[in-house]
Amino acid sequence: MKALIRHHVDLKISGYATRFISSLQTTSVPFAKPQNQLIFFTTFDPYRFLNESAKSQNYTLQETKIIHTHFLKTKSLHSNIEFCNFLLQSYCKASGFDYALKLFDAIPQPDIGSWNLIITSQNRSSMYVDSWGTFCRLHSLGFYPNEFTYGNALSACIALNFVNGGKLLYSLALKHGFSLDGYVRSGMIDLFLKSSSFNNALRVFNDESCGNVVCWNAIVSGAIKHNEDYVGLNLFQQMCRGFPSPNRFTFPSVFGACAKLQELELGRVVHGLAIKYGEQEDLVVGTAIVDFYAKCGLVNEAVKKFSQMPTRNVVSWTAIITGFVQKGEFQSALQLFKEMIILNQEINNYTITSVLSACSNPLLFRESFQVHCWIYKTGFYSDPAVKSSLITMYSKIGAIELSEQLFEDTQDLMNPSTYSTLITAFCHGGTLEKAFSILKRMFLEGLTPDISCIPSLLSIINLLDLGEQVHCYTIKTGVLFNHLVGCSLFTMYSKCGCLNQSYEIFKQIPDKDNVSWASMISGFTEHSYAYQAIELFREMLLVDVVLDETTLAACLAACSSLRFLKTGKEIHGFFIRQEDKMSVYGGSSIVNMYSRCGDLKSAKRVFNMMPFKDQISCSSLVSGYAQNGYIKEALNLFLDLISSGLEVDSFTISSVLGAVGDLNHSDIGIGIRIGIQLHAHVLKLGFESKASVGSSLVMMYLKYGNLDDCLKGFKQIKEPDLISWTAMINSYAQHGKGSEALRMFELMKKSGTRPDSVTFVGVLTACSHSGLVKEGYSYLKSMVNDYEIEPSQRHYACMVDVLGRSGRLTEAERFIRNMPVEPDSLVWGTLLAACKVHGDVEIGKIAAEKFIELEPSSDGGYVAFSNICADVGQWEQVLKIRNEMKGTGIKKEPGWSSSTLSQLELSSSYRSEILSRKQKQEKVFGFIPIFVTWKKTETADAYKTDQKKLESAVLQKTKEFMSSFKITQNHFHYT
């Protein structure tokens, strides 16, 4: 080396190169080190040097400088571009980019290889803008790029997300014949994918048939990343049928798509292909297989594959832990985490967040503290994602105060994610005030909340003003058209009763998914616009949306509300044609639809087809039987429900209580016994405090006339709702306790419960039974002025009854004629009944004529007016009315009772009351009780025979009773 340095050669070295020489050390340095041996040259020959495989060696920066010096001394550097490119490559490999750039500037005539080396070096140094500038300079100087030039320039455009530049490059590559090169095409595909332009990427891929596996992998993974999963799987199938074959970079994306779509069978096929191509032993592919089976719920298969993996990394362990968490096997997830710690496996924040999700079960409260301590010990406590998971975990196990404490301890790690996590935690706990206080604090600190907490806030907002403020914020920040935000927003408006605003936001969502459609359909149904809900479903069918069980339930709920059995059957059939397994077996929503539409035969058939009977389907069928009068079937099914071990919910109990209350008088004793047993079962389950169950108990005891038990059932309700209050008001009203009913109404208003039209029917009934005319007028006026409730015919009839019972018939008639709506038969019939009580023939005649005009086929008007005339001795008018009835062909329906006193197993208060009535009747009718004993007959003929005997006996006794009266001056006198 020293001899080489001392060799005097007359060199013409530029000043630029002289600066290189001055920086070199003059010590012996090996030029090439093949087979770990040091070789020294006493005479440097550049051609011999490059032939010694020097191009494959990685030289340090100092060694590259020395080699550069010898090239300069031999005057061969600028005479051969190959030497220059070698030095450029060596400088780039040794991270001496500044030296490489200076050398490139000194090259008199660089070739395309030199330009490629500079562009590549600039990319490696993240100087993408300079790289693009170098390409533009190359092109302006008239150089023709090759495939490597285009590939490197495209890499710079990808890093800069410079789509227009990429399109320009691809046009040039197409012009010069390099567009089909795999390097160029894969780069262009990658550029379009990263700029969220999947269609353009697919167009580039489909320009010509491609056999490059890199392009295939890029378009398959790109399709799946852009949620075009079925397109990606279709491309993968094409790939498997031709050239090239999939490799270890292909399978992870495909397994991810199968897991996302829950395509279990297809995933098994892909697993078989991975085995066929020998890629299943790859760590990344094996991890993808474990993750696929875990996300599809086949944890046993995932564990089997996990145990067969020769090597495992943190991703593999996290995948199997996450699978156990998703399936609800939290103890197994924690056991695997413990094994990771014992084996000293790498653990990252993703693993810990999965473990904390497992600890969110309230039963694992102790384990959650242990994991928390381990996190604090190992230093993961400072990770914001882990801190957020801890806050979420404590909120889910009910320790919201610990979530707040963690949040306050995170002042040094405050970020939008941490704030949003606590806001979501407060929302799940229903504490709206605290959630908005944290949001306000976040704004004051200049942070922007994550989009994830906006749907949580909207889900608990029930104030329109507050919801509109959040709406304005979503418009301002541009998150309005996010699927979750949009769906939560129009659901909020729907919940606040603003269905028009809800529908307007729904229409503005660009890409509606099935959840959005189902939510809007449900909103229409819940606000009594079921017909519009069905029309919206028809509109949905014209859009490419995947129909699922949520959509089915929303549509069938609309059919149930309208009692559209035919439409419900059509929707059921449509889902069967879609080969939806849930629709084939039926499901709870279909059973409920058939039950509410009265087609109990179909409901029972679908119920029997279900492989697993759930609580909702059983409750729906019980309710269907009860509401359609099949009391025995409802009780038997309820008994089967209890015997099978299924949980009984409050809805089922309420339905059964309603069915028991509807038993006819012949079974009233049985009904009371069953009702008492059900009440005991309610107490056992702890449902007595629920408003729905308590209201049903009140209604059941009301139908049996037991006011004391009604009051007891009402007092057990923890938070009475509108139905509970109304049931109790009606109980007092129907038992003639008007003042107590009105007092209950005042208590209801003080509790903040807003009355509805049914409530006011009970209030007006209480006024009529207690003769409270002034109060009746006041409450009728309050309906309109205070609550904006338009009175119906029933309300006006109650007010007529208030006036009629007080004897103010003229005022009642005037009230009817001044009604804002045309009175119906109910209103006139009420006035007619009052006229009969008070013997007012004139007004009674008017009421009877109006009633008969509105109900020409009913005998009620004729009979009532006939009785009024008979009471005042106008027998000619009675005869005239009877003749009119015969002329119109109307017959009076006979009244009779088939209940026996011996069959009634009532409480002592009921029995004493009935016996008292029985004794009074015996004085008049001579031992024919009001409750006539019937023999149980099995045939209809025998039943009719007994009925005729009864009628004959009653007629005979009646004649004997009437003979004891004599008529004097149109009055009855008992002799």
Coordinates of all heavy atoms in Angstrom, one line a residue, residues 731-782:
S731 N -108.4 2.4 38.7 CA -108.9 1.6 39.8 C -109.7 2.4 40.8 O -110.8 1.9 41.1 CB -107.7 1.0 40.5 OG -106.9 0.2 39.7
Y732 N -109.2 3.5 41.2 CA -110.0 4.4 42.1 C -111.3 4.8 41.4 O -112.4 4.9 42.0 CB -109.2 5.6 42.5 CG -108.3 5.3 43.6 CD1 -106.9 5.6 43.5 CD2 -108.7 4.7 44.8 CE1 -106.0 5.3 44.6 CE2 -107.9 4.5 45.9 CZ -106.5 4.8 45.8 OH -105.7 4.5 46.8
A733 N -111.2 5.2 40.1 CA -112.4 5.8 39.4 C -113.5 4.7 39.3 O -114.7 5.0 39.5 CB -111.9 6.3 38.0
Q734 N -113.1 3.5 38.9 CA -114.1 2.5 38.7 C -114.7 2.0 40.0 O -115.8 1.3 40.0 CB -113.5 1.3 37.9 CG -113.2 1.7 36.5 CD -112.6 0.5 35.7 OE1 -112.8 -0.6 36.1 NE2 -111.9 0.8 34.6
H735 N -114.1 2.3 41.1 CA -114.7 1.9 42.4 C -115.4 3.1 43.1 O -115.6 3.0 44.3 CB -113.6 1.3 43.3 CG -113.2 -0.1 43.0 ND1 -112.3 -0.4 42.0 CD2 -113.6 -1.3 43.6 CE1 -112.2 -1.7 41.9 NE2 -112.9 -2.3 42.8
G736 N -115.6 4.1 42.3 CA -116.4 5.3 42.8 C -115.6 6.1 43.8 O -116.2 7.0 44.5
K737 N -114.3 6.0 43.9 CA -113.5 6.8 44.8 C -112.8 7.9 43.9 O -111.6 7.9 43.6 CB -112.4 6.0 45.5 CG -113.0 4.9 46.4 CD -112.0 4.1 47.1 CE -112.6 3.1 48.0 NZ -113.3 3.7 49.1
G738 N -113.7 8.9 43.5 CA -113.2 10.0 42.6 C -112.2 10.9 43.3 O -111.2 11.2 42.6
S739 N -112.3 11.2 44.5 CA -111.4 12.1 45.1 C -110.0 11.5 45.2 O -109.0 12.1 45.0 CB -111.8 12.5 46.5 OG -112.1 11.4 47.3
E740 N -109.9 10.2 45.6 CA -108.7 9.5 45.6 C -108.0 9.4 44.2 O -106.8 9.5 44.1 CB -108.9 8.0 46.2 CG -109.1 8.0 47.7 CD -110.6 8.2 48.0 OE1 -111.4 8.6 47.0 OE2 -111.0 8.0 49.1
A741 N -108.9 9.2 43.2 CA -108.3 9.1 41.8 C -107.7 10.4 41.4 O -106.6 10.5 40.9 CB -109.4 8.7 40.9
L742 N -108.4 11.5 41.8 CA -107.9 12.9 41.4 C -106.6 13.2 42.2 O -105.7 13.8 41.7 CB -108.9 13.9 41.6 CG -110.2 13.8 40.8 CD1 -111.2 14.9 41.1 CD2 -109.8 13.8 39.3
R743 N -106.6 12.7 43.5 CA -105.4 12.9 44.3 C -104.2 12.2 43.7 O -103.1 12.7 43.6 CB -105.6 12.5 45.7 CG -104.5 12.9 46.7 CD -104.8 12.4 48.1 NE -106.1 12.9 48.6 CZ -107.2 12.1 48.8 NH1 -107.1 10.8 48.7 NH2 -108.3 12.6 49.3
M744 N -104.5 11.0 43.2 CA -103.4 10.2 42.5 C -102.9 10.9 41.3 O -101.7 10.9 40.9 CB -104.0 8.8 42.2 CG -102.9 7.8 41.7 SD -101.7 7.4 42.8 CE -102.6 6.5 44.1
F745 N -103.9 11.5 40.6 CA -103.5 12.3 39.3 C -102.6 13.4 39.7 O -101.6 13.7 38.9 CB -104.7 12.7 38.6 CG -104.5 13.5 37.4 CD1 -103.9 12.9 36.3 CD2 -104.7 14.9 37.4 CE1 -103.7 13.7 35.1 CE2 -104.5 15.7 36.2 CZ -104.0 15.0 35.1
E746 N -102.8 14.1 40.8 CA -102.0 15.2 41.2 C -100.6 14.7 41.6 O -99.6 15.4 41.3 CB -102.6 16.0 42.3 CG -103.9 16.7 41.9 CD -103.7 17.7 40.8 OE1 -102.6 18.3 40.8 OE2 -104.6 17.9 40.0
L747 N -100.5 13.6 42.3 CA -99.2 13.0 42.6 C -98.4 12.6 41.3 O -97.2 12.8 41.3 CB -99.4 11.8 43.5 CG -99.9 12.0 44.9 CD1 -100.2 10.7 45.6 CD2 -98.9 12.8 45.7
M748 N -99.2 12.1 40.4 CA -98.5 11.8 39.1 C -97.9 13.0 38.4 O -96.7 12.9 37.9 CB -99.6 11.2 38.2 CG -99.1 10.9 36.8 SD -100.5 10.3 35.7 CE -99.8 10.5 34.1
K749 N -98.6 14.1 38.4 CA -98.0 15.3 37.8 C -96.8 15.8 38.6 O -95.8 16.3 38.0 CB -99.1 16.4 37.8 CG -100.2 16.1 36.8 CD -101.1 17.3 36.4 CE -101.8 17.8 37.7 NZ -102.7 19.0 37.3
K750 N -96.9 15.7 39.9 CA -95.7 16.1 40.7 C -94.5 15.3 40.5 O -93.3 15.7 40.6 CB -96.1 16.1 42.2 CG -97.0 17.2 42.6 CD -97.3 17.1 44.1 CE -98.3 18.2 44.5 NZ -98.6 18.1 46.0
S751 N -94.7 14.0 40.1 CA -93.6 13.1 39.8 C -92.9 13.4 38.5 O -91.8 12.8 38.2 CB -94.0 11.6 39.9 OG -94.9 11.4 38.8
G752 N -93.5 14.3 37.7 CA -92.9 14.6 36.4 C -93.4 13.7 35.3 O -92.9 13.9 34.1
T753 N -94.4 12.8 35.5 CA -94.9 12.0 34.5 C -96.0 12.7 33.7 O -96.9 13.3 34.3 CB -95.5 10.7 35.1 OG1 -94.5 10.1 35.9 CG2 -96.0 9.8 34.0
R754 N -95.9 12.8 32.4 CA -96.8 13.5 31.6 C -98.0 12.6 31.2 O -97.8 11.5 30.7 CB -96.1 14.0 30.3 CG -97.0 14.8 29.4 CD -96.2 15.1 28.1 NE -97.0 15.9 27.1 CZ -97.1 17.2 27.1 NH1 -96.5 17.9 28.0 NH2 -97.9 17.8 26.2
P755 N -99.2 13.1 31.5 CA -100.4 12.2 31.3 C -100.7 12.2 29.8 O -100.3 13.0 29.0 CB -101.5 12.9 32.0 CG -101.1 14.4 32.1 CD -99.6 14.3 32.2
D756 N -101.4 11.1 29.4 CA -101.8 11.0 28.0 C -103.3 10.9 27.9 O -104.0 11.2 28.9 CB -101.2 9.7 27.3 CG -101.6 8.5 28.0 OD1 -102.4 8.5 29.0 OD2 -101.3 7.4 27.4
S757 N -103.9 10.6 26.8 CA -105.3 10.7 26.6 C -106.0 9.6 27.4 O -107.1 9.8 27.9 CB -105.6 10.5 25.1 OG -105.1 9.2 24.6
V758 N -105.4 8.4 27.6 CA -106.0 7.4 28.4 C -106.1 7.8 29.9 O -107.0 7.5 30.6 CB -105.2 6.1 28.2 CG1 -105.8 5.0 29.1 CG2 -105.1 5.7 26.8
T759 N -105.0 8.5 30.3 CA -105.0 9.0 31.7 C -106.2 9.9 32.0 O -106.9 9.8 33.0 CB -103.7 9.7 32.0 OG1 -102.6 8.9 31.6 CG2 -103.6 10.0 33.5
F760 N -106.5 10.8 31.0 CA -107.6 11.7 31.2 C -109.0 11.0 31.1 O -109.9 11.5 31.7 CB -107.5 12.8 30.1 CG -106.6 13.9 30.5 CD1 -105.3 14.0 30.0 CD2 -106.9 14.9 31.5 CE1 -104.4 15.0 30.3 CE2 -106.1 15.9 31.9 CZ -104.8 16.0 31.3
V761 N -109.0 9.9 30.5 CA -110.3 9.1 30.5 C -110.6 8.7 31.9 O -111.7 8.8 32.4 CB -110.2 7.9 29.5 CG1 -111.4 7.0 29.8 CG2 -110.2 8.4 28.1
G762 N -109.5 8.2 32.6 CA -109.7 7.8 34.0 C -110.0 8.9 34.9 O -110.9 8.8 35.8
V763 N -109.4 10.1 34.6 CA -109.7 11.3 35.5 C -111.1 11.7 35.3 O -111.8 12.0 36.3 CB -108.7 12.4 35.1 CG1 -109.1 13.7 35.8 CG2 -107.3 12.0 35.5
L764 N -111.6 11.8 34.1 CA -113.0 12.2 33.8 C -114.0 11.2 34.3 O -115.1 11.6 34.8 CB -113.2 12.5 32.3 CG -112.4 13.7 31.7 CD1 -112.6 13.7 30.2 CD2 -112.9 15.0 32.3
T765 N -113.6 9.9 34.3 CA -114.5 8.9 34.9 C -114.6 9.1 36.4 O -115.7 8.9 37.0 CB -113.9 7.5 34.6 OG1 -113.8 7.3 33.1 CG2 -114.8 6.4 35.1
A766 N -113.5 9.5 37.0 CA -113.5 9.7 38.5 C -114.4 10.9 38.8 O -115.2 10.9 39.8 CB -112.1 10.0 39.0
C767 N -114.4 11.9 37.9 CA -115.2 13.1 38.1 C -116.7 12.7 38.0 O -117.6 13.2 38.8 CB -114.9 14.2 37.1 SG -113.2 14.9 37.4
S768 N -117.0 11.9 37.0 CA -118.4 11.5 36.8 C -118.9 10.6 38.0 O -120.1 10.8 38.4 CB -118.6 10.7 35.5 OG -117.9 9.5 35.6
H769 N -118.1 9.7 38.5 CA -118.6 8.9 39.6 C -118.7 9.6 40.9 O -119.4 9.2 41.8 CB -117.6 7.7 39.8 CG -117.7 6.7 38.7 ND1 -117.0 5.5 38.7 CD2 -118.4 6.7 37.6 CE1 -117.3 4.8 37.6 NE2 -118.2 5.5 36.9
S770 N -118.0 10.8 41.0 CA -118.1 11.6 42.3 C -118.9 12.8 42.1 O -119.0 13.7 43.0 CB -116.7 11.9 42.7 OG -115.9 10.7 43.0
G771 N -119.5 13.1 40.9 CA -120.3 14.3 40.7 C -119.5 15.5 40.7 O -120.0 16.6 41.1
L772 N -118.3 15.5 40.3 CA -117.4 16.7 40.3 C -117.5 17.4 38.9 O -116.6 17.2 38.0 CB -116.0 16.3 40.6 CG -115.8 15.6 41.9 CD1 -114.4 15.1 42.1 CD2 -116.2 16.5 43.1
V773 N -118.5 18.2 38.7 CA -118.8 18.8 37.4 C -117.7 19.8 37.1 O -117.1 19.9 36.0 CB -120.2 19.4 37.3 CG1 -120.4 20.1 36.0 CG2 -121.2 18.3 37.6
K774 N -117.5 20.7 38.0 CA -116.5 21.8 37.8 C -115.1 21.2 37.5 O -114.4 21.7 36.6 CB -116.5 22.7 39.1 CG -115.6 23.9 39.0 CD -115.7 24.8 40.2 CE -114.7 26.0 40.1 NZ -114.8 26.8 41.3
E775 N -114.8 20.2 38.3 CA -113.4 19.6 38.1 C -113.4 19.0 36.7 O -112.3 19.0 36.0 CB -113.1 18.6 39.2 CG -112.8 19.2 40.5 CD -114.1 19.6 41.3 OE1 -115.2 19.4 40.7 OE2 -114.0 20.1 42.4
G776 N -114.5 18.4 36.3 CA -114.5 17.7 35.0 C -114.2 18.7 33.9 O -113.4 18.5 32.9
Y777 N -114.9 19.9 33.9 CA -114.6 20.9 32.9 C -113.2 21.4 32.9 O -112.5 21.6 31.9 CB -115.5 22.1 33.2 CG -116.9 22.0 32.6 CD1 -118.1 22.1 33.4 CD2 -117.1 21.9 31.2 CE1 -119.3 22.0 32.8 CE2 -118.3 21.8 30.6 CZ -119.5 21.8 31.4 OH -120.7 21.8 30.9
S778 N -112.7 21.5 34.2 CA -111.3 22.0 34.3 C -110.3 21.0 33.7 O -109.4 21.4 33.0 CB -111.0 22.2 35.8 OG -109.6 22.5 36.0
Y779 N -110.5 19.7 33.9 CA -109.5 18.7 33.4 C -109.7 18.6 31.9 O -108.7 18.4 31.2 CB -109.7 17.4 34.1 CG -109.2 17.3 35.5 CD1 -110.0 17.1 36.6 CD2 -107.8 17.6 35.8 CE1 -109.6 17.0 37.9 CE2 -107.4 17.5 37.0 CZ -108.2 17.3 38.1 OH -107.7 17.2 39.4
L780 N -110.9 18.7 31.4 CA -111.1 18.7 29.9 C -110.4 19.9 29.3 O -109.7 19.7 28.2 CB -112.6 18.7 29.6 CG -112.9 18.5 28.1 CD1 -112.5 17.1 27.7 CD2 -114.4 18.7 27.9
K781 N -110.4 21.0 29.9 CA -109.8 22.2 29.4 C -108.3 22.1 29.5 O -107.5 22.5 28.6 CB -110.3 23.4 30.1 CG -109.7 24.7 29.6 CD -110.3 25.9 30.4 CE -109.7 27.3 29.9 NZ -110.3 28.4 30.6
S782 N -107.8 21.4 30.6 CA -106.3 21.3 30.8 C -105.7 20.3 29.7 O -104.5 20.5 29.4 CB -106.1 20.7 32.2 OG -104.7 20.4 32.4

